[in-house]
Amino acid sequence: MVLCAVAGYLVVQYITGGTGDPGCKVVSGRDDGVAYEFTPEQAVNAAAITAVGTGRGLPERAVAIALATALQESGLRNITHGDRDSLGLFQQRPSQGWGTEKQIMDPTYAAGAFYEHLVKIDGYTKLPLTVAAQRVQRSGYPEAYAKHEPDATVLAAALTGTSAATLTCEGRPAATLAAGPEGVREALVRDFGGDALDTTAKEVGAAAATPAPEATVSGRTVTVPVSGGKGSKDGKGRSTRERGWQLAHWAVANASALHLQSVTYAGRQWTAGNTQSEWRTTSSEGAGGAEGAAGSVRILTAQ
C-alpha cells in the first residue's frame, strides 16, 4: 500500500510538473484573472526556452507553442527518462534523429531543435496550438497540448517581455553554492548567447545599429543595458521595453538557482521573498514613465 501511495504521488508530480510548493507565479497582463503557479525548476527551463526563441527572432506565439509542448511532455523539467528513449524537456528521441543524449539534455539545444522543426510548418502561428505542437512532436496523444495553452500563453507574454511586471518567484536559494555576479553573466550567455551582453539598439528608420555597452559587474550588482529610448528596437525588431522586461523576468525566473536578492527595471523592483506578482515602484518617476525610457536591468546577487 505504501509503494502504491508513493507511486501515485510520483505520477501526480510527473503529470503536473510539481516538485513541492510552486514558489513562482505569473499573472496575465490583461487583468483578466488568469494566473499560473510553478516551481523554480520550471521557471529556469521556461526562461531558457523563451530566450532561445526570441534569440531566433521568433514571435511570442512560437514561444507559447514551445512552452505548452514542454509542459505536456515533461512538466517543464529536464528529465532523464521517458517513453522508450525519450529525454529532456521535449521528450526528444536520439533514435529519431533529434540529437545525442547529451545534446537533448541541454535545454538550449533541445529548444533550438524544437523551433527548427516548428518554423518549417507553413502558417504555424495561425494554427491551433495543439495542431502546431503535434506536427512537430508526432505524439500518440495529439490533443494533449491544448490544456496547457492558457498557462503557456501567460508565461510566454511575461518571459518575452510583452507583459510587464507579471512574473515573480519567492527566490528561495537552491541547495548549491551561490553563483555570484560572474555566475549571472555565464547564465545570461548560456540562455541568450552573446545577445544578452553585446546589445544593440536600432532606432526606427535608422540605417545602422548603434552599439551599446556590455553588461557590467560592480560588487554584487550585474547591470545589463537595455539600449535605446522610446520607439527603439533591437536587432530582432523587439522594442526596448520588451527586451528589458524579458531580461528582468528571466532574472527572477533564475533567482533561486543564481541566489539573487533583487531585480530592478523601469522604476520597479522585485525582491526575494515576494510571491505576490507585485513589482514595487522604486522611483518618483513611477513605472509608467520609465517603461519606454532607456535604461538597464540591475541584478543584485546575494553574495
Side-chain angles (χ1 to χ4, degrees):
M1 290 179 66
V2 172
L3 289 174
C4 287
V6 172
Y9 171 80
L10 292 175
V11 168
V12 170
Q13 294 301 298
Y14 175 78
I15 292 172
T16 63
T19 56
D21 294 333
C24 295
K25 183 179 181 181
V26 63
V27 298
S28 172
R30 298 178 180 177
D31 197 27
D32 53 12
V34 177
Y36 172 56
E37 295 187 22
F38 52 113
T39 68
E41 177 189 5
Q42 292 172 306
V44 169
N45 291 326
I49 290 170
T50 303
V52 174
T54 57
R56 291 170 177 246
L58 299 180
E60 184 180 329
R61 180 63 173 174
V63 173
I65 294 169
L67 291 173
T69 301
L71 277 166
Q72 169 58 29
E73 297 292 353
S74 67
L76 271 174
R77 293 175 297 136
N78 198 24
I79 54 180
T80 59
H81 59 272
D83 179 44
R84 287 169 283 189
D85 60 337
S86 299
L87 297 167
L89 292 171
F90 296 92
Q91 289 292 277
Q92 294 158 335
R93 299 179 60 191
S95 64
Q96 299 301 307
W98 284 95
T100 65
E101 292 185 10
K102 182 177 180 180
Q103 287 175 323
I104 291 172
M105 290 304 297
D106 177 354
T108 301
Y109 174 90
F114 178 87
Y115 288 125
E116 285 177 9
H117 284 74
L118 180 65
V119 297
K120 294 176 182 178
I121 301 170
D122 290 338
Y124 74 89
T125 59
K126 297 180 180 179
L127 292 174
L129 183 147
T130 194
V131 173
Q134 170 63 6
R135 290 188 182 177
V136 175
Q137 297 295 107
R138 306 295 183 184
S139 169
Y141 305 94
E143 301 301 321
Y145 306 104
K147 65 179 178 287
H148 299 290
E149 184 166 3
D151 296 338
T153 299
V154 294
L155 261 180
L159 290 170
T160 59
T162 61
S163 182
T166 53
L167 186 150
T168 191
C169 291
E170 193 171 276
R172 295 189 301 268
T176 58
L177 295 175
E182 289 305 322
V184 174
R185 285 173 56 92
E186 290 174 7
L188 282 163
V189 173
R190 175 198 68 202
D191 286 358
F192 293 92
D195 183 53
L197 304 183
D198 182 18
T199 57
T200 55
K202 188 173 183 179
E203 297 293 336
V204 176
T210 303
E214 287 191 356
T216 58
V217 174
S218 177
R220 295 187 292 125
T221 302
V222 179
T223 301
V224 186
V226 181
S227 305
K230 189 173 183 179
S232 298
K233 293 188 176 183
D234 64 12
K236 296 179 175 62
R238 304 176 65 241
S239 70
T240 295
R241 173 186 179 279
E242 291 171 342
R243 176 179 175 80
W245 278 112
Q246 176 174 17
L247 289 166
H249 283 153
W250 173 91
V252 172
N254 282 272
S256 291
L258 298 176
H259 292 213
L260 305 184
Q261 183 171 317
S262 67
V263 179
T264 306
Y265 176 63
R268 306 254 190 111
Q269 184 176 78
W270 164 88
T271 303
N274 171 24
T275 57
Q276 302 304 312
S277 288
E278 294 177 355
W279 284 68
R280 296 180 179 135
T281 302
T282 61
S283 70
S284 58
E285 183 179 17
E291 289 271 340
S296 302
V297 176
R298 294 191 302 279
I299 303 169
L300 178 65
T301 62
Q303 49 178 277

